[in-house]
């Protein structure tokens, strides 16, 4: 059953800078409830914004064929209009409806990894409105691996433009509650489909150049893409494609975040005795550590997938403690962990 939510006390700070039309009554819809799923469908058909679950993070969806609906995404998120949106589609057969041409490499990667956390960057089909692509001639396409969203996409018979469902520059949400905390009062509804399994945003691979290249690291690694394509895939540290996820400062919690080695972290604890600190250890806590002197002490899993799936949830929770700082022990630096380290370096970049 839909729950009516007003822009309650938790949302006010987010609403203040808002233009006209806010606050809205944001509905909390239950993905297990047929009526609620129908409600989400009709809102999307009417050109409203609905936050939807994906396997990576929650997306803020609008019908990609309705430019006015897509424009609302930028207003709700406070996102600059030149930041293009990923279009989510129901299956590989939709590729030719949105991209032209569809290269062989796209078909190979789609066959191997869709539905899944992979966004393909292709030349857009002529009909695609430039509001979706931020004025570019390319389009990002992805088939999400989430039954709730896949069912919506099949019913709608269109694509859903959906960036992560967070205010611009803040942390991506991995639960409906986190979506509401950031965007409650600014969007028509959130469809609660539980916690996102993967927990980090998709890998973005650009197939518009001679050699494929990764524009944003993600759950699927360069080696996995190369194994399917049988050719090298570039993973430049820097590139000129101004994707929002490529900006140095992004994905930020409000509490200053320091990513430190274990020794640095223990040192910092001594220096900042008496401060309200939240500590996040990798694996286990050191024997010498006295958890009673800090506001919060947690450990992260050593398994990469489990770590990635927990990261944004932990950062959201720690951010709500109003600590003076979050000190997080640096995880491994292996290639497997590139996406985690990429998000951590952006989350802590202003320090
Ligand atoms: O896992 C994900 O990718 C999630 C879920 C919701 O699918 N989406 C997501 O969207 O992370 P967003 O907008 O937060 O990040 C997508 C990134 C942005 O940095 C955007 O600029 C870039 O992809 N992007 C999208 N289309 C592009 C295009 N045509 N050219 C260059 N960059 C593009
Ligand atoms: Mg985002």
């Amino acid at each position: 059953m839909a729950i009516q939510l007003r822009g309650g006390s938790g949302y006010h700070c987010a609403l203040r800078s808002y233009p006209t039309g806010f606050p809205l009554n944001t509905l909390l819809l239950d993905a297990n409830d047929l009526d609620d799923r129908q409600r989400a469908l009709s809102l999307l058909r009417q050109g409203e914004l609905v936050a939807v679950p994906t396997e990576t993070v929650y997306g803020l969806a609008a019908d990609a064929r309705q430019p006015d609906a897509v424009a609302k995404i930028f207003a709700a998120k406070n996102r600059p209009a030149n930041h293009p949106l990923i279009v989510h589609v129901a299956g590989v057969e939709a590729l030719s409806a949105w991209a032209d041409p569809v290269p062989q490499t796209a078909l190979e990667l789609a066959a191997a990894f869709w539905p899944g956390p992979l966004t393909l960057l292709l030349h857009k089909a002529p009909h695609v409105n430039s509001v979706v692509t931020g004025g570019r001639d390319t389009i990002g396409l992805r088939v999400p691996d989430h039954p709730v969203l896949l069912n919506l996409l099949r019913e709608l018979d269109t694509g859903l433009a959906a960036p992560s469902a967070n205010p611009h520059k803040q942390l991506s949400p991995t639960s409906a509650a986190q979506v509401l905390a950031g965007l409650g009062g600014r969007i028509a509804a959130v469809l609660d489909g539980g916690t996102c399994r993967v927990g980090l945003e998709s890998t973005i691979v650009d197939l518009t150049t001679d050699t494929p290249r990764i524009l944003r690291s993600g759950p699927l690694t360069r080696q996995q893409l190369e194994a399917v394509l049988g050719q090298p895939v570039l993973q430049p540290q820097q590139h000129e494609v101004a994707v929002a996820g490529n900006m140095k400062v992004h994905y930020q919690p409000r509490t200053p975040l320091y990513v430190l080695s274990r020794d640095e972290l223990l040192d910092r604890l001594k220096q900042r005795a008496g401060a309200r600190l939240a500590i996040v250890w990798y694996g286990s806590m050191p024997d010498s550590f006295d958890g009673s002197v800090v506001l919060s002490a947690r450990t992260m899993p050593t398994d990469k997938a489990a770590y990635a799936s927990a990261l944004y949830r932990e950062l959201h929770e720690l951010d709500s403690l109003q600590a003076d700082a979050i000190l997080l022990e640096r995880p491994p630096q292996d290639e497997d962990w590139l996406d985690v380290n990429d998000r951590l370096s952006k989350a802590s970049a202003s320090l």
Side-chain angles (χ1 to χ4, degrees):
M1 235 254 297
I3 301 173
Q4 291 262 346
L5 295 168
R6 281 179 193 280
S9 56
Y11 313 139
H12 276 320
C13 55
L15 289 171
R16 219 174 289 134
S17 61
Y18 255 72
T20 52
F22 300 105
L24 302 169
N25 275 331
T26 299
L27 297 176
L28 177 58
L29 303 173
D30 177 358
N32 293 316
D33 183 301
L34 179 61
D35 289 344
D36 277 11
R37 291 200 303 274
Q38 292 300 335
R39 189 75 185 266
L41 278 172
S42 60
L43 285 168
L44 288 165
R45 286 191 182 110
Q46 288 159 27
E48 298 298 338
L49 302 185
V50 180
V52 292
T54 85
E55 81 282 30
T56 59
V57 300
Y58 271 73
L60 180 58
D63 180 349
R65 291 189 192 268
Q66 297 186 45
D68 291 349
V70 174
K72 291 181 187 172
I73 292 178
F74 294 90
K77 277 182 64 101
N78 249 342
R79 177 173 168 121
N82 63 354
H83 285 195
L85 305 173
I86 296 172
V87 174
H88 298 70
V89 293
V92 62
E93 59 289 345
L95 265 180
S96 56
W98 297 91
D100 187 17
V102 177
Q104 184 60 26
T105 46
L107 296 175
E108 288 167 10
L109 290 176
F113 298 117
W114 279 356
L118 179 68
T119 297
L120 302 179
L121 200 73
L122 302 171
H123 288 288
K124 77 176 187 73
H127 75 83
V128 178
N129 194 290
S130 63
V131 68
V132 173
T133 62
R136 292 160 205 249
D137 65 357
T138 56
I139 183 167
L141 291 162
R142 159 168 132 78
V143 178
D145 188 12
H146 197 292
V148 170
L149 180 52
L150 280 176
N151 281 334
L152 287 184
L153 287 166
R154 286 187 198 116
E155 294 270 335
L156 282 167
D157 200 24
T158 178
L160 287 175
S164 52
N166 50 281
H168 185 53
K169 290 195 175 170
Q170 292 185 20
L171 288 171
S172 296
T174 55
S175 70
Q178 288 162 14
V179 174
L180 284 172
L183 293 176
R186 305 185 196 186
I187 62 178
V190 53
L191 182 58
D192 186 353
T195 304
C196 302
R197 176 173 52 82
V198 175
L200 284 190
E201 302 86 347
S202 61
T203 305
I204 302 180
V205 60
D206 181 2
L207 297 177
T208 66
T209 47
D210 284 346
T211 308
R213 56 180 183 160
I214 293 174
L215 298 183
R216 180 175 71 185
S217 57
L220 292 170
T221 63
R222 181 164 62 100
Q223 290 92 326
Q224 285 173 287
L225 305 183
E226 286 179 340
V228 168
L229 293 176
Q231 63 163 304
V233 172
L234 305 174
Q235 188 154 24
Q237 291 258 322
Q238 304 268 301
H239 52 76
E240 77 293 353
V241 185
V243 293
N246 189 34
M247 295 184 320
K248 193 162 180 290
V249 180
H250 201 53
Y251 308 115
Q252 290 220 327
R254 268 158 263 151
T255 315
L257 170 70
Y258 296 80
V259 181
L260 304 163
S261 70
R262 183 163 279 218
D263 286 347
E264 287 167 339
L265 206 160
L266 287 166
D267 266 2
R268 199 64 67 96
L269 270 171
K270 280 187 213 139
Q271 287 163 20
R272 299 199 59 174
R276 290 163 50 85
L277 299 176
I279 311 296
V280 189
W281 298 105
Y282 174 69
S284 56
M285 303 199 190
D287 294 337
S288 60
F289 171 67
D290 173 9
S292 69
V293 302
V294 297
L295 191 61
S296 156
R298 302 173 178 214
T299 58
M300 290 293 280
T302 54
D303 172 71
K304 154 72 209 309
Y307 189 110
S309 135
L311 180 61
Y312 285 150
R313 184 187 64 235
E314 292 291 344
L315 291 179
H316 273 283
E317 281 179 22
L318 292 172
D319 208 15
S320 67
L321 297 179
Q322 298 184 319
D324 295 331
I326 302 169
L327 309 188
L328 179 140
E329 183 178 4
R330 186 173 293 120
Q333 300 295 293
D334 316 353
E335 196 157 345
D336 254 21
W337 289 74
L338 256 179
D339 52 351
V340 165
N341 285 300
D342 168 69
R343 305 309 189 270
L344 282 176
S345 78
K346 283 166 182 150
S348 59
S350 63
L351 302 172

